[in-house]
Amino acid sequence: MSGKAKNSLEKYRSKRHAGRTPEPMGGSSRRAGRRRFVVQKHAASSLHYDFRLEAGGVLKSWAVPKGPSTDPREKRLVMRTEDHPVGYVDFEGVIPEGEYGAGQVIVWDTGTYRNLTERDGKKVPVSKGVNEGHIKVWLEGEKLPGGYALTCTGQRGGQERWILVKVSDAGADARRNPVSSQSASVQSGRTAEGVAEDA
């Protein structure tokens, strides 16, 4: 892991106690080929979905209160959160009471992605696009295939507010609602409630 990636994880580590939570504190599950994405269903104090993209040696992360949509007409509010270690891409489990983000986490969808971000006809790296407030990616997901765009709309209370929108392409489907119809993990087949029972 590069020094830059280590520095970007300082906020993540400052919120967690390594000996108390099963969450990864570092490491990498990097695989050859395309970079990975994950959407984790997180049954914390308020249910939400965490959208993460591997870039710059970490997972760039956003919280999606209503979960991602496959309808291009839906503009989903998302909140930028701290970078997570790449090893988090496979994390499922229960974050114990008293720890930051306490609750059940499952891998709701995952796969690889392609960066489609461009400016003036030139490709923009994902990390740079995030810093500049706009990215566009193509997800090779089981539940979320196709293009998605993320755009920063400003800050409130010191936290960046973004909008997540499905691109109009072959993966778009206004009739689907995978958040309600496909609740299980693509990794283990378990629901968030099942993860809690197994713990």
Side-chain angles (χ1 to χ4, degrees), residues 15-42:
K15 294 182 173 184
R16 294 162 175 84
H17 299 92
R20 301 179 196 168
T21 178
E23 298 167 281
M25 291 295 128
S28 172
S29 59
R30 184 82 171 94
R31 298 174 185 174
R34 290 182 184 164
R35 291 177 175 174
R36 299 173 70 192
F37 83 93
V38 67
V39 178
Q40 284 156 316
K41 185 175 182 179
H42 190 173

PDB file of all heavy atoms in Angstrom, residues 15-42:
ATOM      1  N   LYS A  15     -11.775   6.070  13.581  1.00  0.00           N
ATOM      2  CA  LYS A  15     -13.154   5.843  14.017  1.00  0.00           C
ATOM      3  C   LYS A  15     -13.378   4.428  14.556  1.00  0.00           C
ATOM      4  O   LYS A  15     -14.468   4.119  15.036  1.00  0.00           O
ATOM      5  CB  LYS A  15     -14.123   6.074  12.850  1.00  0.00           C
ATOM      6  CG  LYS A  15     -14.186   7.506  12.366  1.00  0.00           C
ATOM      7  CD  LYS A  15     -15.206   7.639  11.238  1.00  0.00           C
ATOM      8  CE  LYS A  15     -15.404   9.092  10.846  1.00  0.00           C
ATOM      9  NZ  LYS A  15     -16.458   9.258   9.825  1.00  0.00           N
ATOM     10  N   ARG A  16     -12.355   3.561  14.448  1.00  0.00           N
ATOM     11  CA  ARG A  16     -12.540   2.154  14.766  1.00  0.00           C
ATOM     12  C   ARG A  16     -11.493   1.632  15.736  1.00  0.00           C
ATOM     13  O   ARG A  16     -10.389   2.141  15.784  1.00  0.00           O
ATOM     14  CB  ARG A  16     -12.505   1.330  13.459  1.00  0.00           C
ATOM     15  CG  ARG A  16     -13.682   1.630  12.554  1.00  0.00           C
ATOM     16  CD  ARG A  16     -13.439   1.184  11.118  1.00  0.00           C
ATOM     17  NE  ARG A  16     -14.638   1.381  10.294  1.00  0.00           N
ATOM     18  CZ  ARG A  16     -14.955   2.528   9.719  1.00  0.00           C
ATOM     19  NH1 ARG A  16     -14.160   3.588   9.846  1.00  0.00           N
ATOM     20  NH2 ARG A  16     -16.068   2.631   9.004  1.00  0.00           N
ATOM     21  N   HIS A  17     -11.860   0.590  16.481  1.00  0.00           N
ATOM     22  CA  HIS A  17     -10.936  -0.080  17.399  1.00  0.00           C
ATOM     23  C   HIS A  17     -10.604  -1.445  16.808  1.00  0.00           C
ATOM     24  O   HIS A  17     -11.476  -2.323  16.744  1.00  0.00           O
ATOM     25  CB  HIS A  17     -11.558  -0.233  18.786  1.00  0.00           C
ATOM     26  CG  HIS A  17     -11.911   1.067  19.430  1.00  0.00           C
ATOM     27  ND1 HIS A  17     -13.164   1.639  19.302  1.00  0.00           N
ATOM     28  CD2 HIS A  17     -11.174   1.919  20.188  1.00  0.00           C
ATOM     29  CE1 HIS A  17     -13.189   2.781  19.968  1.00  0.00           C
ATOM     30  NE2 HIS A  17     -11.996   2.982  20.506  1.00  0.00           N
ATOM     31  N   ALA A  18      -9.360  -1.608  16.384  1.00  0.00           N
ATOM     32  CA  ALA A  18      -8.958  -2.812  15.658  1.00  0.00           C
ATOM     33  C   ALA A  18      -9.261  -4.103  16.415  1.00  0.00           C
ATOM     34  O   ALA A  18      -9.591  -5.116  15.812  1.00  0.00           O
ATOM     35  CB  ALA A  18      -7.472  -2.729  15.313  1.00  0.00           C
ATOM     36  N   GLY A  19      -9.164  -4.087  17.723  1.00  0.00           N
ATOM     37  CA  GLY A  19      -9.384  -5.302  18.502  1.00  0.00           C
ATOM     38  C   GLY A  19     -10.842  -5.606  18.793  1.00  0.00           C
ATOM     39  O   GLY A  19     -11.171  -6.674  19.305  1.00  0.00           O
ATOM     40  N   ARG A  20     -11.730  -4.698  18.442  1.00  0.00           N
ATOM     41  CA  ARG A  20     -13.142  -4.866  18.790  1.00  0.00           C
ATOM     42  C   ARG A  20     -14.049  -5.116  17.602  1.00  0.00           C
ATOM     43  O   ARG A  20     -15.142  -5.649  17.757  1.00  0.00           O
ATOM     44  CB  ARG A  20     -13.641  -3.624  19.536  1.00  0.00           C
ATOM     45  CG  ARG A  20     -12.887  -3.331  20.823  1.00  0.00           C
ATOM     46  CD  ARG A  20     -13.446  -2.076  21.477  1.00  0.00           C
ATOM     47  NE  ARG A  20     -12.557  -1.529  22.478  1.00  0.00           N
ATOM     48  CZ  ARG A  20     -12.707  -0.332  23.028  1.00  0.00           C
ATOM     49  NH1 ARG A  20     -13.726   0.436  22.680  1.00  0.00           N
ATOM     50  NH2 ARG A  20     -11.851   0.100  23.935  1.00  0.00           N
ATOM     51  N   THR A  21     -13.636  -4.689  16.424  1.00  0.00           N
ATOM     52  CA  THR A  21     -14.470  -4.842  15.233  1.00  0.00           C
ATOM     53  C   THR A  21     -13.815  -5.812  14.250  1.00  0.00           C
ATOM     54  O   THR A  21     -12.591  -5.838  14.142  1.00  0.00           O
ATOM     55  CB  THR A  21     -14.724  -3.482  14.547  1.00  0.00           C
ATOM     56  OG1 THR A  21     -15.501  -3.680  13.364  1.00  0.00           O
ATOM     57  CG2 THR A  21     -13.417  -2.789  14.191  1.00  0.00           C
ATOM     58  N   PRO A  22     -14.613  -6.634  13.551  1.00  0.00           N
ATOM     59  CA  PRO A  22     -14.036  -7.558  12.569  1.00  0.00           C
ATOM     60  C   PRO A  22     -13.674  -6.889  11.240  1.00  0.00           C
ATOM     61  O   PRO A  22     -13.146  -7.540  10.343  1.00  0.00           O
ATOM     62  CB  PRO A  22     -15.166  -8.575  12.358  1.00  0.00           C
ATOM     63  CG  PRO A  22     -16.415  -7.795  12.608  1.00  0.00           C
ATOM     64  CD  PRO A  22     -16.069  -6.819  13.710  1.00  0.00           C
ATOM     65  N   GLU A  23     -13.933  -5.588  11.127  1.00  0.00           N
ATOM     66  CA  GLU A  23     -13.640  -4.886   9.879  1.00  0.00           C
ATOM     67  C   GLU A  23     -12.133  -4.877   9.597  1.00  0.00           C
ATOM     68  O   GLU A  23     -11.326  -4.758  10.512  1.00  0.00           O
ATOM     69  CB  GLU A  23     -14.125  -3.441   9.966  1.00  0.00           C
ATOM     70  CG  GLU A  23     -15.617  -3.301  10.158  1.00  0.00           C
ATOM     71  CD  GLU A  23     -15.979  -1.885  10.540  1.00  0.00           C
ATOM     72  OE1 GLU A  23     -15.803  -1.532  11.728  1.00  0.00           O
ATOM     73  OE2 GLU A  23     -16.401  -1.128   9.658  1.00  0.00           O
ATOM     74  N   PRO A  24     -11.738  -4.981   8.321  1.00  0.00           N
ATOM     75  CA  PRO A  24     -10.307  -4.921   7.984  1.00  0.00           C
ATOM     76  C   PRO A  24      -9.733  -3.532   8.270  1.00  0.00           C
ATOM     77  O   PRO A  24     -10.395  -2.525   8.049  1.00  0.00           O
ATOM     78  CB  PRO A  24     -10.277  -5.246   6.495  1.00  0.00           C
ATOM     79  CG  PRO A  24     -11.643  -4.947   5.987  1.00  0.00           C
ATOM     80  CD  PRO A  24     -12.586  -5.183   7.122  1.00  0.00           C
ATOM     81  N   MET A  25      -8.516  -3.511   8.749  1.00  0.00           N
ATOM     82  CA  MET A  25      -7.842  -2.250   9.037  1.00  0.00           C
ATOM     83  C   MET A  25      -6.872  -1.855   7.932  1.00  0.00           C
ATOM     84  O   MET A  25      -6.321  -0.768   7.923  1.00  0.00           O
ATOM     85  CB  MET A  25      -7.075  -2.335  10.367  1.00  0.00           C
ATOM     86  CG  MET A  25      -7.975  -2.431  11.573  1.00  0.00           C
ATOM     87  SD  MET A  25      -8.962  -0.921  11.795  1.00  0.00           S
ATOM     88  CE  MET A  25     -10.597  -1.621  11.927  1.00  0.00           C
ATOM     89  N   GLY A  26      -6.672  -2.749   6.990  1.00  0.00           N
ATOM     90  CA  GLY A  26      -5.741  -2.481   5.897  1.00  0.00           C
ATOM     91  C   GLY A  26      -5.691  -3.688   4.998  1.00  0.00           C
ATOM     92  O   GLY A  26      -6.668  -4.425   4.872  1.00  0.00           O
ATOM     93  N   GLY A  27      -4.537  -3.934   4.407  1.00  0.00           N
ATOM     94  CA  GLY A  27      -4.410  -5.077   3.523  1.00  0.00           C
ATOM     95  C   GLY A  27      -5.122  -4.834   2.211  1.00  0.00           C
ATOM     96  O   GLY A  27      -5.697  -3.785   1.958  1.00  0.00           O
ATOM     97  N   SER A  28      -5.078  -5.817   1.367  1.00  0.00           N
ATOM     98  CA  SER A  28      -5.652  -5.677   0.040  1.00  0.00           C
ATOM     99  C   SER A  28      -6.121  -7.018  -0.475  1.00  0.00           C
ATOM    100  O   SER A  28      -5.497  -8.044  -0.236  1.00  0.00           O
ATOM    101  CB  SER A  28      -4.608  -5.096  -0.917  1.00  0.00           C
ATOM    102  OG  SER A  28      -5.086  -5.119  -2.238  1.00  0.00           O
ATOM    103  N   SER A  29      -7.248  -7.001  -1.156  1.00  0.00           N
ATOM    104  CA  SER A  29      -7.716  -8.199  -1.859  1.00  0.00           C
ATOM    105  C   SER A  29      -7.646  -7.921  -3.357  1.00  0.00           C
ATOM    106  O   SER A  29      -8.450  -8.399  -4.129  1.00  0.00           O
ATOM    107  CB  SER A  29      -9.149  -8.541  -1.440  1.00  0.00           C
ATOM    108  OG  SER A  29     -10.024  -7.475  -1.733  1.00  0.00           O
ATOM    109  N   ARG A  30      -6.667  -7.112  -3.740  1.00  0.00           N
ATOM    110  CA  ARG A  30      -6.499  -6.700  -5.145  1.00  0.00           C
ATOM    111  C   ARG A  30      -6.304  -7.913  -6.042  1.00  0.00           C
ATOM    112  O   ARG A  30      -5.534  -8.811  -5.729  1.00  0.00           O
ATOM    113  CB  ARG A  30      -5.285  -5.773  -5.266  1.00  0.00           C
ATOM    114  CG  ARG A  30      -5.085  -5.197  -6.676  1.00  0.00           C
ATOM    115  CD  ARG A  30      -5.986  -4.008  -6.876  1.00  0.00           C
ATOM    116  NE  ARG A  30      -5.677  -3.319  -8.120  1.00  0.00           N
ATOM    117  CZ  ARG A  30      -6.276  -3.545  -9.273  1.00  0.00           C
ATOM    118  NH1 ARG A  30      -7.204  -4.461  -9.385  1.00  0.00           N
ATOM    119  NH2 ARG A  30      -5.957  -2.853 -10.353  1.00  0.00           N
ATOM    120  N   ARG A  31      -7.048  -7.940  -7.123  1.00  0.00           N
ATOM    121  CA  ARG A  31      -6.927  -9.015  -8.093  1.00  0.00           C
ATOM    122  C   ARG A  31      -6.448  -8.426  -9.415  1.00  0.00           C
ATOM    123  O   ARG A  31      -6.656  -7.261  -9.694  1.00  0.00           O
ATOM    124  CB  ARG A  31      -8.279  -9.708  -8.295  1.00  0.00           C
ATOM    125  CG  ARG A  31      -8.796 -10.356  -7.023  1.00  0.00           C
ATOM    126  CD  ARG A  31     -10.186 -10.904  -7.236  1.00  0.00           C
ATOM    127  NE  ARG A  31     -10.745 -11.436  -5.996  1.00  0.00           N
ATOM    128  CZ  ARG A  31     -11.987 -11.872  -5.868  1.00  0.00           C
ATOM    129  NH1 ARG A  31     -12.809 -11.822  -6.883  1.00  0.00           N
ATOM    130  NH2 ARG A  31     -12.419 -12.344  -4.708  1.00  0.00           N
ATOM    131  N   ALA A  32      -5.817  -9.277 -10.215  1.00  0.00           N
ATOM    132  CA  ALA A  32      -5.343  -8.816 -11.519  1.00  0.00           C
ATOM    133  C   ALA A  32      -6.536  -8.422 -12.382  1.00  0.00           C
ATOM    134  O   ALA A  32      -7.614  -8.983 -12.268  1.00  0.00           O
ATOM    135  CB  ALA A  32      -4.533  -9.919 -12.184  1.00  0.00           C
ATOM    136  N   GLY A  33      -6.328  -7.444 -13.232  1.00  0.00           N
ATOM    137  CA  GLY A  33      -7.394  -7.033 -14.131  1.00  0.00           C
ATOM    138  C   GLY A  33      -8.080  -5.769 -13.663  1.00  0.00           C
ATOM    139  O   GLY A  33      -7.480  -4.910 -13.025  1.00  0.00           O
ATOM    140  N   ARG A  34      -9.371  -5.678 -13.968  1.00  0.00           N
ATOM    141  CA  ARG A  34     -10.114  -4.466 -13.665  1.00  0.00           C
ATOM    142  C   ARG A  34     -10.281  -4.242 -12.171  1.00  0.00           C
ATOM    143  O   ARG A  34     -10.301  -5.177 -11.376  1.00  0.00           O
ATOM    144  CB  ARG A  34     -11.497  -4.535 -14.313  1.00  0.00           C
ATOM    145  CG  ARG A  34     -11.473  -4.428 -15.823  1.00  0.00           C
ATOM    146  CD  ARG A  34     -12.895  -4.458 -16.349  1.00  0.00           C
ATOM    147  NE  ARG A  34     -12.904  -4.455 -17.807  1.00  0.00           N
ATOM    148  CZ  ARG A  34     -13.967  -4.779 -18.521  1.00  0.00           C
ATOM    149  NH1 ARG A  34     -15.086  -5.127 -17.931  1.00  0.00           N
ATOM    150  NH2 ARG A  34     -13.913  -4.745 -19.826  1.00  0.00           N
ATOM    151  N   ARG A  35     -10.463  -2.985 -11.833  1.00  0.00           N
ATOM    152  CA  ARG A  35     -10.719  -2.635 -10.441  1.00  0.00           C
ATOM    153  C   ARG A  35     -12.116  -3.073 -10.037  1.00  0.00           C
ATOM    154  O   ARG A  35     -13.005  -3.215 -10.873  1.00  0.00           O
ATOM    155  CB  ARG A  35     -10.554  -1.127 -10.258  1.00  0.00           C
ATOM    156  CG  ARG A  35      -9.116  -0.697 -10.399  1.00  0.00           C
ATOM    157  CD  ARG A  35      -8.981   0.786 -10.298  1.00  0.00           C
ATOM    158  NE  ARG A  35      -7.586   1.176 -10.326  1.00  0.00           N
ATOM    159  CZ  ARG A  35      -7.166   2.420 -10.374  1.00  0.00           C
ATOM    160  NH1 ARG A  35      -8.025   3.408 -10.412  1.00  0.00           N
ATOM    161  NH2 ARG A  35      -5.878   2.689 -10.395  1.00  0.00           N
ATOM    162  N   ARG A  36     -12.310  -3.232  -8.741  1.00  0.00           N
ATOM    163  CA  ARG A  36     -13.559  -3.763  -8.234  1.00  0.00           C
ATOM    164  C   ARG A  36     -14.430  -2.672  -7.609  1.00  0.00           C
ATOM    165  O   ARG A  36     -13.945  -1.628  -7.196  1.00  0.00           O
ATOM    166  CB  ARG A  36     -13.266  -4.848  -7.194  1.00  0.00           C
ATOM    167  CG  ARG A  36     -12.486  -6.020  -7.771  1.00  0.00           C
ATOM    168  CD  ARG A  36     -12.067  -7.002  -6.708  1.00  0.00           C
ATOM    169  NE  ARG A  36     -13.220  -7.723  -6.177  1.00  0.00           N
ATOM    170  CZ  ARG A  36     -13.185  -8.475  -5.092  1.00  0.00           C
ATOM    171  NH1 ARG A  36     -12.070  -8.600  -4.405  1.00  0.00           N
ATOM    172  NH2 ARG A  36     -14.264  -9.120  -4.687  1.00  0.00           N
ATOM    173  N   PHE A  37     -15.718  -2.971  -7.559  1.00  0.00           N
ATOM    174  CA  PHE A  37     -16.659  -2.140  -6.828  1.00  0.00           C
ATOM    175  C   PHE A  37     -17.440  -3.048  -5.886  1.00  0.00           C
ATOM    176  O   PHE A  37     -17.489  -4.280  -6.066  1.00  0.00           O
ATOM    177  CB  PHE A  37     -17.619  -1.399  -7.767  1.00  0.00           C
ATOM    178  CG  PHE A  37     -18.808  -2.225  -8.196  1.00  0.00           C
ATOM    179  CD1 PHE A  37     -20.001  -2.171  -7.483  1.00  0.00           C
ATOM    180  CD2 PHE A  37     -18.730  -3.075  -9.288  1.00  0.00           C
ATOM    181  CE1 PHE A  37     -21.093  -2.947  -7.868  1.00  0.00           C
ATOM    182  CE2 PHE A  37     -19.816  -3.845  -9.678  1.00  0.00           C
ATOM    183  CZ  PHE A  37     -21.003  -3.790  -8.965  1.00  0.00           C
ATOM    184  N   VAL A  38     -18.044  -2.467  -4.881  1.00  0.00           N
ATOM    185  CA  VAL A  38     -18.942  -3.206  -4.000  1.00  0.00           C
ATOM    186  C   VAL A  38     -20.042  -2.279  -3.527  1.00  0.00           C
ATOM    187  O   VAL A  38     -19.816  -1.076  -3.344  1.00  0.00           O
ATOM    188  CB  VAL A  38     -18.190  -3.828  -2.791  1.00  0.00           C
ATOM    189  CG1 VAL A  38     -17.646  -2.748  -1.848  1.00  0.00           C
ATOM    190  CG2 VAL A  38     -19.095  -4.786  -2.015  1.00  0.00           C
ATOM    191  N   VAL A  39     -21.240  -2.828  -3.386  1.00  0.00           N
ATOM    192  CA  VAL A  39     -22.335  -2.134  -2.720  1.00  0.00           C
ATOM    193  C   VAL A  39     -22.710  -3.009  -1.530  1.00  0.00           C
ATOM    194  O   VAL A  39     -23.105  -4.170  -1.713  1.00  0.00           O
ATOM    195  CB  VAL A  39     -23.555  -1.933  -3.638  1.00  0.00           C
ATOM    196  CG1 VAL A  39     -24.684  -1.247  -2.867  1.00  0.00           C
ATOM    197  CG2 VAL A  39     -23.175  -1.117  -4.859  1.00  0.00           C
ATOM    198  N   GLN A  40     -22.527  -2.477  -0.331  1.00  0.00           N
ATOM    199  CA  GLN A  40     -22.822  -3.228   0.879  1.00  0.00           C
ATOM    200  C   GLN A  40     -24.097  -2.723   1.538  1.00  0.00           C
ATOM    201  O   GLN A  40     -24.287  -1.511   1.695  1.00  0.00           O
ATOM    202  CB  GLN A  40     -21.629  -3.146   1.853  1.00  0.00           C
ATOM    203  CG  GLN A  40     -20.492  -4.062   1.391  1.00  0.00           C
ATOM    204  CD  GLN A  40     -19.127  -3.649   1.889  1.00  0.00           C
ATOM    205  OE1 GLN A  40     -18.776  -2.478   1.865  1.00  0.00           O
ATOM    206  NE2 GLN A  40     -18.330  -4.620   2.321  1.00  0.00           N
ATOM    207  N   LYS A  41     -24.976  -3.647   1.859  1.00  0.00           N
ATOM    208  CA  LYS A  41     -26.181  -3.304   2.614  1.00  0.00           C
ATOM    209  C   LYS A  41     -25.787  -3.249   4.078  1.00  0.00           C
ATOM    210  O   LYS A  41     -25.227  -4.200   4.613  1.00  0.00           O
ATOM    211  CB  LYS A  41     -27.273  -4.354   2.389  1.00  0.00           C
ATOM    212  CG  LYS A  41     -28.599  -4.010   3.050  1.00  0.00           C
ATOM    213  CD  LYS A  41     -29.665  -5.039   2.688  1.00  0.00           C
ATOM    214  CE  LYS A  41     -31.001  -4.687   3.306  1.00  0.00           C
ATOM    215  NZ  LYS A  41     -32.055  -5.673   2.928  1.00  0.00           N
ATOM    216  N   HIS A  42     -26.060  -2.123   4.711  1.00  0.00           N
ATOM    217  CA  HIS A  42     -25.557  -1.867   6.067  1.00  0.00           C
ATOM    218  C   HIS A  42     -26.737  -1.548   6.987  1.00  0.00           C
ATOM    219  O   HIS A  42     -27.304  -0.455   6.941  1.00  0.00           O
ATOM    220  CB  HIS A  42     -24.560  -0.707   6.009  1.00  0.00           C
ATOM    221  CG  HIS A  42     -23.806  -0.493   7.274  1.00  0.00           C
ATOM    222  ND1 HIS A  42     -22.764   0.413   7.378  1.00  0.00           N
ATOM    223  CD2 HIS A  42     -23.915  -1.044   8.508  1.00  0.00           C
ATOM    224  CE1 HIS A  42     -22.285   0.399   8.606  1.00  0.00           C
ATOM    225  NE2 HIS A  42     -22.980  -0.473   9.312  1.00  0.00           N
TER     226      HIS A  42
END
